Amino acid sequence: MKTAIMGFGNPVRSDDAIGIYVIEELKKIIGDNDIISILDMGTAAFEVLFGLKGHQKIILVDAVINSNEPVGTLFKVPAEEVMRAPQDDPLVFLHGMKWDQALSYAKKILQDGYPDDIQVYLIAVENTRLEVELSKEVQEAGDKVVQHILEDLQISVN
């Protein structure tokens, strides 16, 4: 089964970069692999449509703000719970589409080729100031996500 792991975030917006941090850590452990695609998505969303193709399993990692939970709280949710309904506005492709909207479009476009297994890890954050450092709580949550993903993919680290 081919798996894509996609990390999202802005690397100069402090804790918003947690998805990128997780991707970097996984690349160190897993490296280049024909079965697992590890993708730094940055703040892109439209590219999600293309990243899904040819994969049976997708794992997304991103920050979530205003969750009303303590910073560093980890959420694992099925993609269906966070997908936004597609909008029939053609301008949505030109302006600020998020990955949850991209998933909805991908489902509509790929139809039978849409992966059945999509998991989403969200980490509660507050600090999205113009900084490059992650807070301790968010980095620790990111390390937990790395471990969860490795366990899910049955990859052991010695």
Side-chain angles (χ1 to χ4, degrees), residues 99-134:
W99 59 259
D100 52 352
Q101 292 170 313
L103 284 177
S104 296
Y105 280 106
K107 188 170 189 173
K108 190 174 183 179
I109 293 167
L110 297 176
Q111 297 178 10
D112 291 340
Y114 186 77
D116 291 328
D117 188 354
I118 300 180
Q119 301 167 17
V120 180
Y121 288 94
L122 299 173
I123 298 172
V125 304
E126 283 181 354
N127 182 7
T128 57
R129 291 186 299 269
L130 199 57
E131 299 173 355
V132 294
E133 298 294 322
L134 293 174

Coordinates of all heavy atoms in Angstrom, one line a residue, residues 99-134:
W99 N -6.3 22.9 2.9 CA -6.2 21.5 2.5 C -7.6 20.8 2.7 O -7.9 19.8 2.1 CB -5.1 20.8 3.2 CG -5.1 20.8 4.7 CD1 -4.4 21.6 5.5 CD2 -5.9 20.0 5.6 NE1 -4.7 21.4 6.8 CE2 -5.6 20.4 6.9 CE3 -6.8 19.0 5.4 CZ2 -6.2 19.8 8.0 CZ3 -7.4 18.4 6.5 CH2 -7.1 18.8 7.8
D100 N -8.4 21.3 3.7 CA -9.7 20.6 3.9 C -10.6 20.8 2.7 O -11.3 19.9 2.3 CB -10.3 21.1 5.2 CG -10.4 22.6 5.4 OD1 -9.9 23.3 4.5 OD2 -11.1 23.0 6.3
Q101 N -10.5 22.0 2.1 CA -11.3 22.2 0.9 C -10.7 21.4 -0.2 O -11.4 20.8 -1.1 CB -11.3 23.7 0.5 CG -12.0 24.5 1.5 CD -11.8 26.0 1.2 OE1 -10.6 26.4 1.0 NE2 -12.8 26.8 1.1
A102 N -9.4 21.3 -0.3 CA -8.7 20.5 -1.4 C -9.1 19.1 -1.3 O -9.3 18.4 -2.3 CB -7.2 20.7 -1.3
L103 N -9.3 18.5 -0.1 CA -9.7 17.1 0.0 C -11.1 16.9 -0.5 O -11.4 15.9 -1.2 CB -9.7 16.7 1.5 CG -8.4 16.4 2.2 CD1 -8.6 16.0 3.6 CD2 -7.7 15.3 1.5
S104 N -12.0 17.9 -0.3 CA -13.3 17.8 -0.8 C -13.3 17.8 -2.4 O -14.0 17.1 -3.0 CB -14.2 19.0 -0.3 OG -14.3 18.9 1.1
Y105 N -12.5 18.7 -2.9 CA -12.3 18.8 -4.4 C -11.7 17.5 -4.9 O -12.2 16.9 -5.9 CB -11.5 19.9 -4.8 CG -12.2 21.2 -4.9 CD1 -12.0 22.2 -3.9 CD2 -13.2 21.5 -5.9 CE1 -12.7 23.4 -3.9 CE2 -13.9 22.7 -5.9 CZ -13.6 23.6 -4.9 OH -14.3 24.8 -4.9
A106 N -10.7 16.9 -4.2 CA -10.1 15.7 -4.7 C -11.1 14.6 -4.7 O -11.1 13.7 -5.6 CB -8.9 15.4 -3.7
K107 N -11.9 14.5 -3.7 CA -12.9 13.4 -3.6 C -13.9 13.5 -4.8 O -14.2 12.5 -5.4 CB -13.7 13.5 -2.3 CG -14.6 12.3 -2.1 CD -15.2 12.3 -0.7 CE -15.9 11.0 -0.4 NZ -16.3 10.9 1.0
K108 N -14.2 14.7 -5.2 CA -15.1 15.0 -6.3 C -14.4 14.6 -7.6 O -15.0 14.0 -8.5 CB -15.6 16.4 -6.3 CG -16.7 16.8 -7.2 CD -17.1 18.3 -7.0 CE -18.2 18.7 -7.8 NZ -18.7 20.1 -7.6
I109 N -13.2 15.0 -7.8 CA -12.4 14.8 -9.0 C -11.9 13.4 -9.2 O -12.1 12.8 -10.2 CB -11.2 15.8 -9.1 CG1 -11.8 17.2 -9.2 CG2 -10.3 15.5 -10.2 CD1 -10.7 18.3 -9.0
L110 N -11.3 12.8 -8.1 CA -10.7 11.5 -8.2 C -11.8 10.3 -8.2 O -11.5 9.2 -8.6 CB -9.7 11.3 -7.1 CG -8.5 12.2 -7.2 CD1 -7.6 11.9 -6.0 CD2 -7.7 12.0 -8.5
Q111 N -12.9 10.6 -7.6 CA -14.0 9.6 -7.4 C -13.5 8.3 -6.9 O -13.1 8.2 -5.8 CB -14.8 9.5 -8.8 CG -15.4 10.8 -9.1 CD -16.2 10.7 -10.5 OE1 -16.4 9.7 -11.0 NE2 -16.6 11.8 -11.0
D112 N -13.5 7.2 -7.7 CA -13.0 5.9 -7.3 C -11.5 5.9 -6.9 O -11.1 5.0 -6.2 CB -13.3 4.8 -8.3 CG -14.8 4.6 -8.4 OD1 -15.6 5.0 -7.5 OD2 -15.3 4.1 -9.5
G113 N -10.8 6.8 -7.4 CA -9.3 6.9 -7.2 C -9.0 7.6 -5.9 O -7.8 7.7 -5.5
Y114 N -10.0 8.1 -5.2 CA -9.9 8.8 -3.9 C -9.5 7.8 -2.8 O -10.2 6.8 -2.7 CB -11.1 9.5 -3.5 CG -11.0 10.4 -2.3 CD1 -10.4 11.7 -2.4 CD2 -11.6 10.0 -1.1 CE1 -10.3 12.5 -1.3 CE2 -11.5 10.9 0.0 CZ -10.8 12.1 -0.1 OH -10.7 12.9 1.0
P115 N -8.4 8.0 -2.1 CA -8.0 7.1 -1.0 C -9.1 6.9 0.0 O -9.7 7.8 0.5 CB -6.7 7.7 -0.4 CG -6.3 8.7 -1.4 CD -7.5 9.2 -2.1
D116 N -9.2 5.6 0.5 CA -10.2 5.3 1.5 C -9.6 5.7 2.9 O -10.4 6.0 3.8 CB -10.5 3.8 1.5 CG -11.3 3.4 0.3 OD1 -12.1 4.3 -0.2 OD2 -11.2 2.3 -0.2
D117 N -8.3 5.6 3.1 CA -7.7 5.8 4.4 C -7.0 7.1 4.5 O -5.9 7.3 4.0 CB -6.7 4.6 4.6 CG -6.2 4.6 6.0 OD1 -6.4 5.5 6.8 OD2 -5.4 3.6 6.4
I118 N -7.7 8.1 5.0 CA -7.1 9.4 5.2 C -7.2 9.8 6.7 O -8.3 9.8 7.3 CB -7.8 10.5 4.4 CG1 -7.6 10.2 2.9 CG2 -7.1 11.9 4.6 CD1 -8.3 11.2 2.0
Q119 N -6.0 10.0 7.3 CA -6.0 10.4 8.7 C -5.4 11.8 8.9 O -4.5 12.2 8.1 CB -5.1 9.4 9.5 CG -5.5 8.0 9.4 CD -4.4 7.0 9.8 OE1 -3.5 7.4 10.5 NE2 -4.6 5.8 9.5
V120 N -5.9 12.5 9.8 CA -5.5 13.9 10.0 C -5.0 14.1 11.5 O -5.8 13.7 12.4 CB -6.6 14.9 9.7 CG1 -6.2 16.3 10.0 CG2 -7.1 14.7 8.3
Y121 N -3.8 14.5 11.7 CA -3.3 14.9 13.0 C -3.3 16.4 13.1 O -2.7 17.1 12.2 CB -1.9 14.4 13.2 CG -1.8 12.9 13.4 CD1 -1.5 12.1 12.3 CD2 -1.9 12.3 14.6 CE1 -1.4 10.7 12.4 CE2 -1.8 10.9 14.8 CZ -1.6 10.1 13.7 OH -1.5 8.8 13.9
L122 N -3.9 16.9 14.1 CA -3.9 18.4 14.3 C -3.3 18.7 15.7 O -3.7 17.9 16.6 CB -5.4 18.9 14.2 CG -6.1 18.7 12.9 CD1 -7.5 19.2 13.0 CD2 -5.4 19.5 11.8
I123 N -2.5 19.7 15.8 CA -1.9 20.0 17.1 C -2.3 21.5 17.4 O -2.2 22.4 16.6 CB -0.4 19.9 17.0 CG1 0.0 18.5 16.7 CG2 0.3 20.5 18.3 CD1 1.5 18.3 16.4
A124 N -2.9 21.6 18.6 CA -3.3 22.9 19.1 C -2.2 23.9 19.2 O -1.2 23.5 19.9 CB -4.1 22.8 20.4
V125 N -2.3 25.1 18.7 CA -1.3 26.1 18.8 C -1.9 27.4 19.1 O -3.1 27.6 18.9 CB -0.4 26.2 17.5 CG1 0.2 24.9 17.1 CG2 -1.2 26.8 16.3
E126 N -1.1 28.4 19.6 CA -1.5 29.7 19.8 C -0.6 30.7 19.1 O -1.0 31.7 18.5 CB -1.6 30.1 21.3 CG -2.8 29.5 22.0 CD -2.7 29.9 23.5 OE1 -1.8 30.5 24.0 OE2 -3.7 29.6 24.2
N127 N 0.7 30.4 19.2 CA 1.7 31.3 18.7 C 1.9 31.1 17.2 O 2.5 30.1 16.8 CB 3.0 31.1 19.4 CG 4.1 32.1 19.0 OD1 3.9 33.0 18.2 ND2 5.3 31.9 19.5
T128 N 1.5 32.1 16.4 CA 1.8 32.1 15.0 C 2.5 33.4 14.6 O 2.4 33.9 13.5 CB 0.5 31.9 14.2 OG1 -0.4 33.0 14.5 CG2 -0.1 30.6 14.4
R129 N 3.2 34.0 15.6 CA 4.0 35.2 15.3 C 5.1 34.9 14.3 O 5.5 33.8 14.1 CB 4.6 35.8 16.6 CG 3.5 36.3 17.5 CD 4.1 37.0 18.7 NE 4.9 36.1 19.6 CZ 4.4 35.4 20.6 NH1 3.2 35.5 20.9 NH2 5.2 34.6 21.3
L130 N 5.7 35.9 13.8 CA 6.8 35.8 12.9 C 8.1 35.4 13.6 O 8.9 36.2 14.1 CB 7.0 37.2 12.2 CG 7.8 37.2 10.9 CD1 7.1 36.2 9.9 CD2 7.8 38.6 10.3
E131 N 8.2 34.1 13.8 CA 9.4 33.5 14.5 C 9.6 32.1 13.9 O 8.8 31.6 13.2 CB 9.0 33.2 16.0 CG 8.7 34.5 16.8 CD 8.2 34.2 18.2 OE1 8.0 33.0 18.5 OE2 8.0 35.2 18.9
V132 N 10.8 31.6 14.0 CA 11.2 30.3 13.5 C 11.3 29.2 14.5 O 11.4 28.0 14.1 CB 12.5 30.4 12.6 CG1 12.3 31.2 11.4 CG2 13.6 30.8 13.5
E133 N 11.1 29.5 15.8 CA 11.2 28.5 16.8 C 9.8 28.0 17.2 O 8.8 28.7 17.2 CB 11.8 29.1 18.1 CG 13.2 29.6 17.9 CD 14.2 28.5 17.6 OE1 14.1 27.4 18.1 OE2 15.1 28.7 16.7
L134 N 9.8 26.6 17.4 CA 8.5 26.0 17.9 C 8.5 26.1 19.4 O 9.6 26.1 20.1 CB 8.5 24.5 17.5 CG 8.4 24.2 16.1 CD1 8.5 22.6 15.9 CD2 7.0 24.6 15.5

